[in-house]
Amino acid sequence: MDADIAAAAAGLGTGLSLIVAIGAQNAFVLRQGIRRQHVPAIVGICALSDAALIVLGVAGLGALVQSFPGVITGVTWIGATFLVGYGLLAARRALRPGRLVESAAPDATGGSLSSSVLSCLGFTWLNPHVYLDTVLLLGTVAAGYGSARWMFALGAAAGSMLWFSGLGFGARLLRPVFARPGAWRTLDLLIAATMLAMGAGLALRG
């Protein structure tokens, strides 16, 4: 039992260390959370996708990823195109910043559920780092725990759920700040810079 608890704790820490960083997916979740726009769906997609990738990694998919580097190259180019496109959209938004209207109902601030879900899936599954970090790295670390590797996976999945829930639902605390158009301009400029930099970096590596 002690070994299982230690493995779960290690999984929690390792999982959080990989996702608690400025990146395309986190920036998207943050923006959706501030706008209270389809937050449960976005958080659910991110957490469940991470859990699925963690399970695949622990089950041994990491070795398969290493055996077919061409798959990662293809995902890299598709992901680069997606990130650059979204970065340009964020830059365009920064030129015409909006503001929050407190009387607006949650999830009524523009943007359909389908488009938000598709964007979230793109940020999650078209990011080649997710296969290298979540699948390959976590899978490799989990293998070191032997029979307790699934407890490691459980801890890592719990870390993802905690992080995305906190980021998505906690972002509403920033709503007073984003009642000003200038705050939205700054956020969208940061998002645009993040997306474009990551997209360019992927293209260069691809």
Side-chain angles (χ1 to χ4, degrees), residues 104-171:
D107 297 338
T109 53
S112 66
L113 174 61
S114 59
S115 64
S116 296
V117 167
L118 288 174
S119 294
C120 187
L121 289 172
F123 286 123
T124 302
W125 293 92
L126 294 181
N127 177 9
H129 293 295
V130 78
Y131 300 99
L132 298 175
D133 292 343
T134 307
V135 175
L136 182 57
L137 180 57
L138 279 179
T140 301
V141 175
Y145 287 87
S147 60
R149 66 187 183 280
W150 291 110
M151 290 301 297
F152 179 93
L154 180 63
S160 292
M161 176 61 77
L162 288 173
W163 170 252
F164 288 119
S165 296
L167 185 63
F169 293 106

Side-chain angles (χ1 to χ4, degrees), residues 34-142:
I34 292 172
R35 296 185 68 88
R36 291 192 296 178
Q37 191 176 57
H38 316 302
V39 177
I42 298 304
V43 169
I45 289 170
C46 290
L48 290 175
S49 294
D50 260 20
L53 289 162
I54 290 167
V55 168
L56 290 174
V58 174
L61 186 65
L64 187 62
V65 169
Q66 285 184 309
S67 301
F68 296 95
V71 174
I72 295 298
T73 300
V75 173
T76 296
W77 279 109
I78 296 172
T81 303
F82 176 78
L83 288 173
V84 169
Y86 194 90
L88 292 175
L89 289 176
R92 187 178 70 175
R93 287 198 308 264
L95 297 176
R96 293 181 296 179
R99 62 186 295 274
L100 288 175
V101 180
E102 291 300 329
S103 60
D107 297 338
T109 53
S112 66
L113 174 61
S114 59
S115 64
S116 296
V117 167
L118 288 174
S119 294
C120 187
L121 289 172
F123 286 123
T124 302
W125 293 92
L126 294 181
N127 177 9
H129 293 295
V130 78
Y131 300 99
L132 298 175
D133 292 343
T134 307
V135 175
L136 182 57
L137 180 57
L138 279 179
T140 301
V141 175

